[in-house]
Amino acid sequence: MLEGIPARYAVAFVAFLNFFYVYMIRLNVNIVIVAMVNYTAIPHTNVTTAQECGQPEEEQAAYPPADQQDDDGGEFVWDEKIQSLVSVSFFWGYIVTQLIGGRIAEKFGTKYMFAGAQMTAGLVTVCLPILARAGTAFFIAGRILLGLAQGVIVPSIQPLVAKWAPTGERSSITTFIFSGAQVGTVLGITCSGLIADSLGWEAAFYIQGSLAVVVVAAWLHVVYDSPELHPRISAKEREHIKSSTFTPANKALAVPWKSIATSVPCWALLVSTLGNNWAFYMLITQLPIYMKTILHFDMKSNALLSALPYLVMWILSLAVAQFADLTARKGWASTNVIRKTANSVAKLGPALCLLMVSFTGCDRLSTLILLVLAVGLQGAVFSGFLINHLDMAPSFSGTIYGIISGLASVNSWLAPLVVASLTEAQQTLSQWRMAFLLCSSILVIDAVVFLLFGSTERQPWDKEEETTN
């Protein structure tokens, strides 16, 4: 146990570490693939970006184009579509187990299911280099298996948070746990790039996959499914949590499927999740490729600059969460206003930045600043729609999160494939402009729908069969 730290904060910290690990091994392929692929061997038929974005001589020495850098290239000749398939195939498995992960956690608990899934994901990651050399289909199969393992992890956290996070700390605790995703993204991209550059791309998978043993050991030691089951929590803290959280009357609560399916706020939540997934996964999967083919950054610079937006996202997510909880405690605004304001910042801000990126052309500095802001402002979602499940239906938060995230996962793989189709053999500014404008439009629609139809009011079908401790 983390001595002297309240049990709920220790649980949150270890959950944060595990989310860090989840996203590190989920997304490492997006930067490692730059070292795996031989880009100069891929045929391109359109105007090259080197012709469009001619660099001044003084910049060429510091930032030579990727195709003129002194490296031998990767060993795999994968065009844009294959690269996207490698990345997005993760979600073909992810969508399946996400649909049921939350419900399983509600019925049987989060602790051991989470641990088993995490260990499986680590083992699959260690095997990925072998699968890649066995053939593209085998590597894609490995990514699908990774998705199947991780699919149960994220929705299973919702029931855990519902039992551990007092109402006045809900935004902060939830955001802190989920911000592990940003830290995992930042360090995962940075470390993966540095490891691939110095030790070879295979080492990134071997080293990161092996870390599963560490994070799972910490999880099993610290995390319990509820304060009542925790052997080291103080009576005072247990009572404090119990007095300000909602728990179901019994573990076998029947899910009100019809009520969920006909709930307008649930549909608004689905639209918001779809928009968020399009933007997040388009940028996380395509940004390293854009950095290499359009902005001409080398492997090390690519890794660092691709990670920077997610560092900003992490910092902003924590700052917004603290302000959201302070606003709620002081009564400055209703929960509904807090959620919708945070969500609007997270969607309309990036939409504006991507609109501007579409017309910055070859201006590196302006493009980088706008891309950092486009990703960074998304950190406000953790105080927006991403916590809305707990507001309107804490008894079924895991089920709702799993269903909505599972359905919305379609955009997690559709967005990169659409961008790959737009830029296949045409790595040009005009093609990328279409990708950015499309993403910007989707985010605007997402924000408007949540503003009009989203709700933080506890739904009647959730209240009927619950007890307030």
Side-chain angles (χ1 to χ4, degrees):
M1 188 63 190
L2 300 173
E3 297 296 334
I5 299 176
R8 65 187 184 279
Y9 298 151
V11 168
F13 178 70
V14 172
F16 163 86
L17 287 180
N18 274 268
F19 258 73
F20 157 83
Y21 184 72
V22 164
Y23 276 77
M24 179 175 69
I25 63 172
R26 176 188 300 188
L27 301 173
N28 57 9
V29 72
N30 297 316
I31 191 68
V32 174
I33 200 168
V34 175
M36 295 173 68
V37 172
N38 188 335
Y39 287 89
T40 58
I42 302 172
H44 289 85
T45 59
N46 210 318
V47 179
T48 66
T49 54
Q51 291 173 304
E52 287 188 315
C53 294
Q55 295 168 281
E57 291 183 4
E58 62 270 19
E59 288 189 9
Q60 289 180 6
Y63 303 105
D67 57 2
Q68 295 177 18
Q69 292 161 13
D70 294 329
D71 58 55
D72 298 324
E75 59 188 276
F76 303 102
V77 183
W78 293 341
D79 63 23
E80 288 84 356
K81 282 189 176 178
I82 294 178
Q83 291 175 53
S84 287
L85 285 174
V86 164
S87 178
V88 305
S89 55
F90 168 90
F91 296 99
W92 301 343
Y94 189 71
I95 190 172
V96 175
T97 49
Q98 257 217 332
L99 292 170
I100 60 174
R103 187 55 184 160
I104 293 173
E106 287 169 352
K107 290 176 69 70
F108 303 108
T110 297
K111 180 172 182 174
Y112 293 107
M113 180 181 71
F114 188 106
Q118 193 80 297
M119 280 301 300
T120 302
L123 179 61
V124 171
T125 299
V126 169
C127 294
L128 285 177
I130 299 171
L131 294 173
R133 291 201 170 103
T136 305
F138 289 100
F139 190 68
I140 289 174
R143 291 282 295 167
I144 294 173
L145 285 175
L146 183 62
L148 284 168
Q150 288 202 350
V152 301
I153 289 178
V154 179
S156 72
I157 286 293
Q158 294 285 338
L160 192 73
V161 171
K163 294 172 184 175
W164 276 98
T167 304
E169 299 176 348
R170 184 163 289 172
S171 287
S172 297
I173 288 178
T174 304
T175 298
F176 178 68
I177 292 172
F178 279 94
S179 72
Q182 280 71 63
V183 180
T185 301
V186 170
L187 294 183
I189 289 176
T190 304
C191 294
S192 296
L194 295 177
I195 292 171
D197 189 64
S198 57
L199 301 176
W201 62 267
E202 307 95 324
F205 294 118
Y206 293 145
I207 293 171
Q208 293 173 3
S210 301
L211 291 176
V213 176
V214 177
V215 295
V216 170
W219 174 272
L220 291 173
H221 179 64
V222 173
V223 176
Y224 290 83
D225 287 317
S226 70
E228 289 74 20
L229 296 175
H230 202 295
R232 297 178 293 274
I233 189 174
S234 69
K236 181 179 179 181
E237 184 182 6
R238 183 184 289 114
E239 186 56 35
H240 170 63
I241 296 172
K242 191 177 180 182
S243 66
S244 57
T245 56
F246 293 103
T247 56
N250 67 74
K251 282 193 173 182
L253 258 176
V255 178
W257 296 111
K258 183 178 179 181
S259 297
I260 292 174
T262 55
S263 169
V264 173
C266 282
W267 281 98
L269 199 52
L270 174 60
V271 171
S272 198
T273 310
L274 282 164
N276 183 75
N277 283 2
W278 185 285
F280 182 84
Y281 286 102
M282 173 200 149
L283 291 170
I284 192 66
T285 60
Q286 302 303 306
L287 196 54
I289 295 173
Y290 185 79
M291 293 285 192
K292 182 179 180 71
T293 60
I294 301 296
L295 301 183
H296 306 302
F297 287 109
D298 61 26
M299 185 68 192
K300 289 181 181 178
S301 299
N302 194 336
L304 293 171
L305 292 172
S306 295
L308 178 60
Y310 299 93
L311 176 61
V312 174
M313 185 180 182
W314 175 56
I315 294 170
L316 286 178
S317 70
L318 296 178
V320 172
Q322 289 295 322
F323 184 72
D325 275 344
L326 177 63
T327 302
R329 287 196 299 270
K330 297 289 187 179
W332 294 340
S334 67
T335 302
N336 195 52
V337 170
I338 293 170
R339 297 284 178 262
K340 290 185 176 181
T341 301
N343 199 70
S344 297
V345 169
K347 304 303 173 62
L348 296 179
L352 177 61
C353 291
L354 291 176
L355 175 64
M356 295 172 70
V357 164
S358 303
F359 299 100
T360 54
C362 300
D363 186 337
R364 267 190 185 180
L365 181 59
S366 297
T367 300
L368 285 174
I369 290 173
L370 288 169
L371 287 174
V372 167
L373 287 174
V375 174
L377 288 171
Q378 290 181 59
V381 297
F382 296 99
S383 297
F385 88 91
L386 204 59
I387 195 176
N388 193 216
H389 317 73
L390 294 171
D391 296 322
M392 66 182 191
S395 299
F396 303 103
S397 58
T399 297
I400 295 172
Y401 187 96
I403 293 170
I404 288 176
S405 294
L407 294 174
S409 290
V410 65
N411 276 1
S412 304
W413 56 264
L414 183 60
L417 284 180
V418 168
V419 175
S421 296
L422 288 172
T423 59
E424 184 180 18
Q426 301 181 79
Q427 290 289 342
T428 62
L429 288 170
S430 62
Q431 296 304 110
W432 278 98
R433 181 177 298 119
M434 286 191 284
F436 289 135
L437 290 175
L438 175 60
C439 186
S440 179
S441 302
I442 289 172
L443 285 172
V444 171
I445 294 170
D446 162 357
V448 171
V449 169
F450 192 76
L451 276 173
L452 295 177
F453 303 109
S455 175
T456 58
E457 182 180 348
R458 194 128 184 265
Q459 301 301 296
W461 40 266
D462 187 76
K463 293 178 182 178
E464 289 170 1
E465 300 187 70
E466 59 87 37
T467 58
T468 304
N469 292 313

